[in-house]
Amino acid sequence: MFSSAMKINKLLNFVIGVNIFLFIGFIAIITWASFMPEQSFSVEKGIGHWSLSFDFSNSASFSALVPFSILQPISETIFSAKTAFLTFYISLGFIYFPLFIYGLLIVQEIVISTIKEESPFNNINAQRIKKIAYLLIGYSLFSDLLINFFMYVFVTNIFLLNISNVSFNGFVIGAVMLLIAHIFRYGSFLQQEHDETI
Amino acid sequence: MAIIIRLDRVLAEKKMKLNQLASIIGISNVNLSNLKTGKVKAIRFSTLEAICKTLDCQPGDIIEYVEDKDVENR
């Protein structure tokens, strides 16, 4: 158990490092894109998605598929491709990366406490799992709705919040995590009973 | 608690030290000390059996029921 927890801790360190690196890279690209002229950005309407592209050279581009539920299928002449691209990526990046990195840090705290105390069952870990569950529920319920809202404020100025932006799968996974937190609290009680029995 | 551990008394009668008993029955000094001072919640039958076998006594010599009032008066 100890050696596998050590391996998981190393893997988590690597994943957190990669994510922080990606987040910094993401901020650099967005900052760079914000200084580029409007002609570098293009927008194309598909069947269910918008394709927003940022061409940073003749042969390389950076693009995003944005569903109609987030950016309404209105005429592409009404809004600016650059504003849509930047709004989508800034809101997505600043919602996704901090939450994901914070979630990974909580998982790492659980692994470190398992290494130190030789058992994952304690009340603090139950609270940590509860935090992850609330993060998941919050992310699945509000992340796409928030991006949808920012698109309304900064891009289209046409208010239309789409309920299909709420991810019920994420909500269910969050609820299961809450259940696991409860199981951990019971496990912590059993662990204490076991520790106080000789 | 209404259950009193009399391990120190039995150890004194048998002229045995706590660490000697701990090494014979195969549990740590800390755990046995916790048992002696009543800091544990439960004792396994296997531990009790090992203690009784080593000290040549009965479980009743080691654990004793005393009503709570008596415990408070002590």
Side-chain angles (χ1 to χ4, degrees):
Chain A
M1 174 125 176
F2 182 81
S3 64
S4 62
M6 290 284 277
K7 278 178 196 166
I8 293 170
N9 190 31
K10 275 183 189 169
L11 183 71
L12 278 169
N13 270 332
F14 175 73
V15 175
I16 290 168
V18 166
N19 268 280
I20 290 172
F21 177 75
L22 285 176
F23 189 42
I24 292 167
F26 163 81
I27 291 170
I29 288 175
I30 290 298
T31 312
W32 181 39
S34 65
F35 290 108
M36 297 303 276
E38 181 74 41
Q39 291 77 32
S40 305
F41 297 86
S42 60
V43 59
E44 200 178 321
K45 197 191 252 180
I47 298 168
H49 293 77
W50 287 101
S51 171
L52 305 174
S53 300
F54 162 48
D55 304 320
F56 49 89
S57 77
N58 288 334
S59 56
S61 69
F62 198 69
S63 70
L65 281 179
V66 183
F68 286 158
S69 58
I70 288 178
L71 181 60
Q72 300 147 42
I74 53 177
S75 167
E76 53 211 68
T77 53
I78 292 177
F79 63 89
S80 144
K82 182 182 176 179
T83 315
F85 181 90
L86 288 177
T87 306
F88 178 72
Y89 266 113
I90 289 172
S91 46
L92 180 73
F94 280 89
I95 290 171
Y96 170 77
F97 276 113
L99 285 183
F100 189 61
I101 292 169
Y102 181 60
L104 285 176
L105 286 173
I106 296 174
V107 173
Q108 195 179 33
E109 280 175 0
I110 295 172
V111 173
I112 289 170
S113 95
T114 307
I115 293 168
K116 279 184 184 166
E117 294 170 26
E118 293 179 354
S119 165
F121 296 110
N122 58 54
N123 278 332
I124 299 168
N125 278 348
Q127 280 170 357
R128 284 173 181 146
I129 291 174
K130 220 182 213 178
K131 266 189 204 170
I132 296 174
Y134 287 136
L135 273 182
L136 265 172
I137 291 172
Y139 180 77
S140 57
L141 290 186
F142 300 116
S143 67
D144 282 359
L145 272 180
L146 266 176
I147 299 172
N148 191 190
F149 178 74
F150 290 137
M151 285 296 191
Y152 149 65
V153 173
F154 299 110
V155 184
T156 59
N157 293 320
I158 301 167
F159 186 74
L160 182 77
L161 282 181
N162 197 327
I163 199 71
S164 67
N165 286 326
V166 172
S167 162
F168 288 101
N169 291 341
F171 180 78
V172 170
I173 294 170
V176 170
M177 291 290 283
L178 278 179
L179 197 71
I180 292 172
H182 186 73
I183 292 168
F184 256 69
R185 228 181 12 250
Y186 183 61
S188 146
F189 165 73
L190 291 181
Q191 182 73 52
Q192 197 183 354
E193 290 281 305
H194 178 263
D195 291 344
E196 290 177 1
T197 301
I198 65 160
Chain B
M1 203 165 136
I3 301 292
I4 306 288
I5 305 290
R6 299 290 186 200
L7 187 60
D8 48 352
R9 196 171 66 185
V10 183
L11 279 171
E13 279 171 15
K14 303 288 175 182
K15 294 188 173 68
M16 189 181 274
K17 284 183 181 170
L18 194 77
N19 56 355
Q20 280 178 302
L21 179 64
S23 66
I24 293 169
I25 63 175
I27 63 172
S28 70
N29 269 353
V30 179
N31 278 343
L32 204 58
S33 175
N34 284 342
L35 174 66
K36 197 180 87 171
T37 50
K39 284 178 188 167
V40 294
K41 269 190 181 170
I43 178 166
R44 288 190 190 91
F45 281 152
S46 56
T47 311
L48 193 59
E49 184 189 339
I51 292 171
C52 290
K53 192 175 177 184
T54 310
L55 297 176
D56 189 24
C57 63
Q58 292 299 312
D61 299 332
I62 297 165
I63 49 178
E64 186 183 326
Y65 170 72
V66 182
E67 272 194 60
D68 267 345
K69 278 181 188 172
D70 296 342
V71 174
E72 283 163 15
N73 292 337
R74 282 170 191 224

